[in-house]
Amino acid sequence: MPDRDTADTSDSPDTGGSPDTSGSPDTGATADRHGTADSGPRPSSLLGDVIEGLFPDAADPDRRRRNRKILIRVAWVAVSSLVLFLLTKGVDQLSSEHDARVASEADDKVDREGPAFTASVRQDTQYAEASLFDAPFTDAEKRQVVGPPHDLGPFSTAHHARPVFYSDVWHPSIRGDWWGYSEAWQVDLISDRKAALAINGMRMKDITCTPAKADTVIISRGEGEGSYAGILFDVNRSTSAPVITGSEEEHYGEPYFTQKKIDLGNGATPGGLRIQVTSGTKDCTWKAFEVTYVDSKGTHTQDITNNGKPFSVHGIAQHPKQIYEFSVNGIKECAPREHGQYTCPEDDKQ
């Protein structure tokens, strides 16, 4: 009996001693699984890291939902970038336009400082058609004048002759009532402005007149009977509406500035203008030719002076005492008639 109890005790699995589990397959498999799970997180892909870094909201186990979130975020970033780009470009453009406008206004202000143009003035006495004298010739002086053709230069200088013109004044297109004479000035107009401007008017400024002193004239007939292109002021008709001269001009005798203008500035060729003034039976002086011009800022005026001095013109007395006519045949004395006309021997001039 005892032996059987002892054997039963030693063979019992529930009694002392550590059980040997080294050969148990289940225990080994469990250890392997635990070892794999405990070895650390699985390595993630670089693209996933980038996506999760840029778009944390895209970390979604649902692939479709995750892709939709990514597309929405990419689209939003693209639109935002485009709006920002366009806004930046717009601001840059507005800034550039503003800067350009400010610079242009500054340049324009500088460009408009000072006179709009400069005028170089000189009296035109070349090819004068007549000479005026303040006093009639004595018999001795007549003998120096009348006779075969000869040079009257020394005589005219000694007697302070004033060279004048008559072709345009006497031309039928001018429709003058008096066969008077004119004095002329050549005016060169130059503008260094970048902006364009145009002269569209001119008047004689602050004019005063007295009866003409000259009562003697020598007419150089046949010497310069042409008509000179330019403008003519007839003091007896208007001091603000010069007419076109030059017999070859289409609108000869018509108001100049209703048909023409003078362009200056913006690289335009300098303008040249011949100005004649006839005062009939008066001697006149005036301060300046006041010019009206227009540019992008409106209408303005500027004076043209006779090199800083006033202008003057001399007429012929209403009843001249002596008239002489120079021709290829010589110089002869003529008889004055009304309205500046005269009659010469063997020549009835109407």
mmCIF file of all heavy atoms in Angstrom, residues 172-198:
data_model
loop_
_atom_site.group_PDB
_atom_site.id
_atom_site.type_symbol
_atom_site.label_atom_id
_atom_site.label_comp_id
_atom_site.label_asym_id
_atom_site.label_seq_id
_atom_site.Cartn_x
_atom_site.Cartn_y
_atom_site.Cartn_z
ATOM 1 N N PRO A 172 -5.412 142.978 -104.850
ATOM 2 C CA PRO A 172 -6.884 143.004 -104.777
ATOM 3 C C PRO A 172 -7.466 142.048 -103.732
ATOM 4 O O PRO A 172 -8.520 142.330 -103.146
ATOM 5 C CB PRO A 172 -7.301 142.591 -106.195
ATOM 6 C CG PRO A 172 -6.146 142.968 -107.060
ATOM 7 C CD PRO A 172 -4.929 142.749 -106.218
ATOM 8 N N SER A 173 -6.792 140.930 -103.477
ATOM 9 C CA SER A 173 -7.329 139.973 -102.508
ATOM 10 C C SER A 173 -7.339 140.513 -101.092
ATOM 11 O O SER A 173 -8.116 140.054 -100.246
ATOM 12 C CB SER A 173 -6.500 138.675 -102.537
ATOM 13 O OG SER A 173 -6.636 138.019 -103.788
ATOM 14 N N ILE A 174 -6.500 141.486 -100.809
ATOM 15 C CA ILE A 174 -6.465 142.077 -99.470
ATOM 16 C C ILE A 174 -7.634 143.032 -99.275
ATOM 17 O O ILE A 174 -8.089 143.277 -98.162
ATOM 18 C CB ILE A 174 -5.125 142.803 -99.236
ATOM 19 C CG1 ILE A 174 -3.965 141.799 -99.374
ATOM 20 C CG2 ILE A 174 -5.083 143.459 -97.874
ATOM 21 C CD1 ILE A 174 -4.003 140.656 -98.393
ATOM 22 N N ARG A 175 -8.147 143.583 -100.370
ATOM 23 C CA ARG A 175 -9.321 144.470 -100.347
ATOM 24 C C ARG A 175 -9.112 145.685 -99.438
ATOM 25 O O ARG A 175 -9.978 146.071 -98.649
ATOM 26 C CB ARG A 175 -10.571 143.687 -99.916
ATOM 27 C CG ARG A 175 -10.949 142.554 -100.864
ATOM 28 C CD ARG A 175 -12.194 141.833 -100.395
ATOM 29 N NE ARG A 175 -11.971 141.142 -99.123
ATOM 30 C CZ ARG A 175 -11.422 139.934 -99.028
ATOM 31 N NH1 ARG A 175 -11.033 139.284 -100.114
ATOM 32 N NH2 ARG A 175 -11.259 139.366 -97.858
ATOM 33 N N GLY A 176 -7.937 146.282 -99.557
ATOM 34 C CA GLY A 176 -7.664 147.486 -98.781
ATOM 35 C C GLY A 176 -8.241 148.732 -99.444
ATOM 36 O O GLY A 176 -8.344 148.808 -100.677
ATOM 37 N N ASP A 177 -8.618 149.706 -98.620
ATOM 38 C CA ASP A 177 -9.160 150.957 -99.157
ATOM 39 C C ASP A 177 -8.072 151.974 -99.448
ATOM 40 O O ASP A 177 -8.320 152.965 -100.127
ATOM 41 C CB ASP A 177 -10.155 151.569 -98.144
ATOM 42 C CG ASP A 177 -11.381 150.688 -97.939
ATOM 43 O OD1 ASP A 177 -11.746 149.958 -98.888
ATOM 44 O OD2 ASP A 177 -11.932 150.705 -96.828
ATOM 45 N N TRP A 178 -6.895 151.733 -98.928
ATOM 46 C CA TRP A 178 -5.818 152.712 -99.070
ATOM 47 C C TRP A 178 -4.572 152.033 -99.601
ATOM 48 O O TRP A 178 -4.181 150.961 -99.133
ATOM 49 C CB TRP A 178 -5.515 153.362 -97.712
ATOM 50 C CG TRP A 178 -4.428 154.395 -97.764
ATOM 51 C CD1 TRP A 178 -3.107 154.202 -97.523
ATOM 52 C CD2 TRP A 178 -4.572 155.759 -98.088
ATOM 53 N NE1 TRP A 178 -2.406 155.357 -97.683
ATOM 54 C CE2 TRP A 178 -3.288 156.344 -98.026
ATOM 55 C CE3 TRP A 178 -5.663 156.579 -98.435
ATOM 56 C CZ2 TRP A 178 -3.068 157.695 -98.285
ATOM 57 C CZ3 TRP A 178 -5.431 157.911 -98.683
ATOM 58 C CH2 TRP A 178 -4.150 158.466 -98.603
ATOM 59 N N TRP A 179 -3.957 152.699 -100.581
ATOM 60 C CA TRP A 179 -2.720 152.137 -101.117
ATOM 61 C C TRP A 179 -1.569 152.505 -100.190
ATOM 62 O O TRP A 179 -0.743 153.342 -100.499
ATOM 63 C CB TRP A 179 -2.472 152.678 -102.529
ATOM 64 C CG TRP A 179 -3.340 152.013 -103.564
ATOM 65 C CD1 TRP A 179 -4.499 151.355 -103.355
ATOM 66 C CD2 TRP A 179 -3.068 151.953 -104.953
ATOM 67 N NE1 TRP A 179 -5.006 150.888 -104.533
ATOM 68 C CE2 TRP A 179 -4.147 151.235 -105.543
ATOM 69 C CE3 TRP A 179 -2.047 152.432 -105.786
ATOM 70 C CZ2 TRP A 179 -4.217 150.982 -106.910
ATOM 71 C CZ3 TRP A 179 -2.133 152.171 -107.140
ATOM 72 C CH2 TRP A 179 -3.198 151.453 -107.697
ATOM 73 N N GLY A 180 -1.558 151.854 -99.057
ATOM 74 C CA GLY A 180 -0.530 152.162 -98.079
ATOM 75 C C GLY A 180 0.698 151.289 -98.262
ATOM 76 O O GLY A 180 0.919 150.691 -99.317
ATOM 77 N N TYR A 181 1.492 151.217 -97.215
ATOM 78 C CA TYR A 181 2.730 150.447 -97.242
ATOM 79 C C TYR A 181 2.842 149.654 -95.948
ATOM 80 O O TYR A 181 2.171 149.965 -94.956
ATOM 81 C CB TYR A 181 3.937 151.384 -97.406
ATOM 82 C CG TYR A 181 3.816 152.254 -98.638
ATOM 83 C CD1 TYR A 181 3.222 153.525 -98.551
ATOM 84 C CD2 TYR A 181 4.248 151.806 -99.873
ATOM 85 C CE1 TYR A 181 3.066 154.314 -99.677
ATOM 86 C CE2 TYR A 181 4.098 152.595 -101.007
ATOM 87 C CZ TYR A 181 3.514 153.833 -100.900
ATOM 88 O OH TYR A 181 3.344 154.614 -102.030
ATOM 89 N N SER A 182 3.669 148.650 -95.974
ATOM 90 C CA SER A 182 3.836 147.813 -94.781
ATOM 91 C C SER A 182 5.310 147.692 -94.414
ATOM 92 O O SER A 182 6.192 147.841 -95.269
ATOM 93 C CB SER A 182 3.264 146.409 -95.014
ATOM 94 O OG SER A 182 4.053 145.698 -95.955
ATOM 95 N N GLU A 183 5.553 147.423 -93.144
ATOM 96 C CA GLU A 183 6.868 147.035 -92.678
ATOM 97 C C GLU A 183 6.778 145.590 -92.206
ATOM 98 O O GLU A 183 5.705 145.113 -91.817
ATOM 99 C CB GLU A 183 7.342 147.979 -91.566
ATOM 100 C CG GLU A 183 7.577 149.390 -92.089
ATOM 101 C CD GLU A 183 8.078 150.359 -91.021
ATOM 102 O OE1 GLU A 183 9.149 150.093 -90.437
ATOM 103 O OE2 GLU A 183 7.380 151.363 -90.775
ATOM 104 N N ALA A 184 7.908 144.889 -92.279
ATOM 105 C CA ALA A 184 7.868 143.441 -92.056
ATOM 106 C C ALA A 184 8.954 142.987 -91.099
ATOM 107 O O ALA A 184 10.017 143.610 -90.987
ATOM 108 C CB ALA A 184 8.005 142.713 -93.392
ATOM 109 N N TRP A 185 8.657 141.863 -90.428
ATOM 110 C CA TRP A 185 9.597 141.232 -89.497
ATOM 111 C C TRP A 185 9.621 139.729 -89.756
ATOM 112 O O TRP A 185 8.579 139.109 -89.982
ATOM 113 C CB TRP A 185 9.183 141.476 -88.043
ATOM 114 C CG TRP A 185 9.290 142.905 -87.634
ATOM 115 C CD1 TRP A 185 10.338 143.520 -87.004
ATOM 116 C CD2 TRP A 185 8.309 143.927 -87.832
ATOM 117 N NE1 TRP A 185 10.074 144.848 -86.807
ATOM 118 C CE2 TRP A 185 8.832 145.136 -87.301
ATOM 119 C CE3 TRP A 185 7.041 143.967 -88.419
ATOM 120 C CZ2 TRP A 185 8.129 146.329 -87.332
ATOM 121 C CZ3 TRP A 185 6.344 145.146 -88.462
ATOM 122 C CH2 TRP A 185 6.892 146.328 -87.916
ATOM 123 N N GLN A 186 10.817 139.181 -89.732
ATOM 124 C CA GLN A 186 10.984 137.735 -89.811
ATOM 125 C C GLN A 186 11.092 137.203 -88.385
ATOM 126 O O GLN A 186 11.929 137.653 -87.604
ATOM 127 C CB GLN A 186 12.252 137.373 -90.595
ATOM 128 C CG GLN A 186 12.206 137.749 -92.069
ATOM 129 C CD GLN A 186 11.380 136.762 -92.886
ATOM 130 O OE1 GLN A 186 10.772 135.829 -92.341
ATOM 131 N NE2 GLN A 186 11.344 136.974 -94.188
ATOM 132 N N VAL A 187 10.239 136.243 -88.057
ATOM 133 C CA VAL A 187 10.198 135.688 -86.699
ATOM 134 C C VAL A 187 10.451 134.184 -86.783
ATOM 135 O O VAL A 187 9.717 133.456 -87.458
ATOM 136 C CB VAL A 187 8.836 135.958 -86.027
ATOM 137 C CG1 VAL A 187 8.820 135.383 -84.610
ATOM 138 C CG2 VAL A 187 8.531 137.450 -86.015
ATOM 139 N N ASP A 188 11.498 133.739 -86.110
ATOM 140 C CA ASP A 188 11.804 132.311 -86.017
ATOM 141 C C ASP A 188 11.337 131.801 -84.661
ATOM 142 O O ASP A 188 11.754 132.306 -83.614
ATOM 143 C CB ASP A 188 13.306 132.058 -86.177
ATOM 144 C CG ASP A 188 13.818 132.461 -87.550
ATOM 145 O OD1 ASP A 188 13.082 132.241 -88.537
ATOM 146 O OD2 ASP A 188 14.936 133.009 -87.641
ATOM 147 N N LEU A 189 10.472 130.801 -84.673
ATOM 148 C CA LEU A 189 9.872 130.254 -83.456
ATOM 149 C C LEU A 189 10.450 128.875 -83.170
ATOM 150 O O LEU A 189 10.407 127.985 -84.024
ATOM 151 C CB LEU A 189 8.353 130.162 -83.618
ATOM 152 C CG LEU A 189 7.645 131.487 -83.923
ATOM 153 C CD1 LEU A 189 6.215 131.232 -84.379
ATOM 154 C CD2 LEU A 189 7.662 132.391 -82.700
ATOM 155 N N ILE A 190 10.985 128.708 -81.961
ATOM 156 C CA ILE A 190 11.613 127.451 -81.579
ATOM 157 C C ILE A 190 11.095 127.033 -80.198
ATOM 158 O O ILE A 190 11.022 127.854 -79.290
ATOM 159 C CB ILE A 190 13.149 127.586 -81.529
ATOM 160 C CG1 ILE A 190 13.694 128.054 -82.884
ATOM 161 C CG2 ILE A 190 13.801 126.266 -81.130
ATOM 162 C CD1 ILE A 190 15.180 128.353 -82.874
ATOM 163 N N SER A 191 10.742 125.764 -80.070
ATOM 164 C CA SER A 191 10.316 125.230 -78.766
ATOM 165 C C SER A 191 11.080 123.940 -78.481
ATOM 166 O O SER A 191 11.136 123.045 -79.326
ATOM 167 C CB SER A 191 8.808 124.957 -78.750
ATOM 168 O OG SER A 191 8.430 124.361 -77.526
ATOM 169 N N ASP A 192 11.660 123.864 -77.282
ATOM 170 C CA ASP A 192 12.365 122.647 -76.885
ATOM 171 C C ASP A 192 11.514 121.781 -75.961
ATOM 172 O O ASP A 192 12.009 120.842 -75.332
ATOM 173 C CB ASP A 192 13.689 122.983 -76.201
ATOM 174 C CG ASP A 192 13.502 123.848 -74.949
ATOM 175 O OD1 ASP A 192 12.334 124.162 -74.614
ATOM 176 O OD2 ASP A 192 14.516 124.207 -74.320
ATOM 177 N N ARG A 193 10.234 122.072 -75.900
ATOM 178 C CA ARG A 193 9.352 121.261 -75.066
ATOM 179 C C ARG A 193 9.147 119.877 -75.669
ATOM 180 O O ARG A 193 9.089 119.713 -76.881
ATOM 181 C CB ARG A 193 7.985 121.945 -74.902
ATOM 182 C CG ARG A 193 7.993 123.089 -73.909
ATOM 183 C CD ARG A 193 6.574 123.526 -73.580
ATOM 184 N NE ARG A 193 6.563 124.554 -72.559
ATOM 185 C CZ ARG A 193 5.455 125.085 -72.058
ATOM 186 N NH1 ARG A 193 4.273 124.689 -72.512
ATOM 187 N NH2 ARG A 193 5.509 126.015 -71.119
ATOM 188 N N LYS A 194 9.011 118.880 -74.777
ATOM 189 C CA LYS A 194 8.694 117.539 -75.233
ATOM 190 C C LYS A 194 7.223 117.437 -75.627
ATOM 191 O O LYS A 194 6.864 116.669 -76.520
ATOM 192 C CB LYS A 194 9.015 116.525 -74.130
ATOM 193 C CG LYS A 194 10.497 116.456 -73.763
ATOM 194 C CD LYS A 194 10.723 115.458 -72.643
ATOM 195 C CE LYS A 194 12.195 115.417 -72.246
ATOM 196 N NZ LYS A 194 12.432 114.467 -71.123
ATOM 197 N N ALA A 195 6.384 118.203 -74.929
ATOM 198 C CA ALA A 195 4.950 118.199 -75.232
ATOM 199 C C ALA A 195 4.662 119.083 -76.439
ATOM 200 O O ALA A 195 5.295 120.116 -76.636
ATOM 201 C CB ALA A 195 4.157 118.691 -74.020
ATOM 202 N N ALA A 196 3.703 118.655 -77.242
ATOM 203 C CA ALA A 196 3.335 119.411 -78.435
ATOM 204 C C ALA A 196 2.478 120.617 -78.059
ATOM 205 O O ALA A 196 1.734 120.599 -77.080
ATOM 206 C CB ALA A 196 2.572 118.517 -79.404
ATOM 207 N N LEU A 197 2.586 121.669 -78.847
ATOM 208 C CA LEU A 197 1.726 122.840 -78.696
ATOM 209 C C LEU A 197 1.504 123.444 -80.084
ATOM 210 O O LEU A 197 2.243 123.156 -81.025
ATOM 211 C CB LEU A 197 2.360 123.861 -77.752
ATOM 212 C CG LEU A 197 3.727 124.440 -78.156
ATOM 213 C CD1 LEU A 197 3.549 125.837 -78.762
ATOM 214 C CD2 LEU A 197 4.655 124.532 -76.949
ATOM 215 N N ALA A 198 0.473 124.253 -80.201
ATOM 216 C CA ALA A 198 0.143 124.848 -81.493
ATOM 217 C C ALA A 198 -0.289 126.296 -81.300
ATOM 218 O O ALA A 198 -1.179 126.590 -80.494
ATOM 219 C CB ALA A 198 -0.968 124.055 -82.177
#
